[in-house]
Amino acid sequence: ETGVTQTPRHLVMGMTNKKSLKCEQHLGHNAMYWYKQSAKKPLELMFVYSLEERVENNSVPSRFSPECPNSSHLFLHLHTLQPEDSALYLCASSQTPSGLQYFGPGTRLTVT
Amino acid sequence: TQLLEQSPQFLSIQEGENLTVYCNSSSVFSSLQWYRQEPGEGPVLLVTVVTGGEVKKLKRLTFQFGDARKDSSLHITAAQTGDTGLYLCAGAKAAGNKLTFGGGTRVLVKP
């Protein structure tokens, strides 16, 4: 398998649930990203990891908790989300934090 | 106010017609990228432009970076239904800086 993969592709969760999104990149990249894409809004950068260290956190609420155990895997742990958190969550990777980014297919999250 | 403004927001054309999508800013970017995103998928990188005045061609797609590196355009010649999607521009103000995305232009090419 090549490129950037994300699981699950679709997720419906209640406001009291805890779930995790997973991203895996097979490109040998050193930087990984989480983005949020809502309807009628530009892509919003949430977190950036470089060599497994978080290098950017764009004022994201603490109900979103990222984890990068190694350079190939990135998780986004979710708990006590709000309906307005419903969106497409995209993972991306690049060779370096300034390099060209390659996106996964996204996880469509619905919070009920 | 978005740093990168894309226009139009939505464009519907017939197959075979031409179209142009614009990406404008008051800021200077060291590089600008164009992506296409199809429904249910993530954005796919089409091209990166880095030099003011640069023109790049990708089959029927022509990308231009403004001389002042503040704006860019994407022109599609003889559009096909497969060109349908959300076109996103993204810019980096300097090497090593994060990307800022425009709001996107949704293109629908009807058969």
Side-chain angles (χ1 to χ4, degrees), chain B:
Chain B
T1 303
Q2 295 178 21
L3 190 60
L4 277 169
E5 295 278 351
Q6 287 190 242
S7 62
Q9 290 186 330
F10 179 72
L11 192 55
S12 177
I13 60 171
Q14 293 295 134
E15 196 169 28
E17 293 181 339
N18 302 333
L19 68 101
T20 302
V21 173
Y22 299 93
C23 176
N24 295 302
S25 176
S26 57
S27 301
V28 175
F29 290 94
S30 67
S31 68
L32 200 138
Q33 299 168 19
W34 283 94
Y35 293 81
R36 179 171 65 219
Q37 184 178 17
E38 299 186 15
E41 299 295 331
V44 174
L45 180 66
L46 297 174
V47 78
T48 299
V49 286
V50 298
T51 306
E54 182 177 4
V55 177
K56 279 192 174 179
K57 291 195 173 184
L58 188 66
K59 295 184 181 177
R60 294 175 293 100
L61 278 61
T62 301
F63 304 85
Q64 185 161 9
F65 202 12
D67 291 341
R69 290 184 290 131
K70 293 182 178 182
D71 54 81
S72 181
S73 64
L74 157 60
H75 182 79
I76 301 180
T77 303
Q80 301 176 357
T81 56
D83 296 324
T84 291
L86 178 67
Y87 288 83
L88 297 161
C89 68
K93 283 196 167 183
N97 278 21
K98 67 179 183 181
L99 284 180
T100 299
F101 280 82
T105 293
R106 197 164 296 279
V107 172
L108 173 63
V109 182
K110 295 181 284 188

Side-chain angles (χ1 to χ4, degrees), chain A residues 9 37 56 58 98 100 103-104, chain B residues 33 35 37 40 42-43 48 96 98:
Chain A
R9 294 294 308 274
Q37 188 175 36
E56 187 151 350
N58 275 354
S98 61
L100 298 178
F103 284 82
Chain B
Q33 299 168 19
Y35 293 81
Q37 184 178 17
T48 299
K98 67 179 183 181

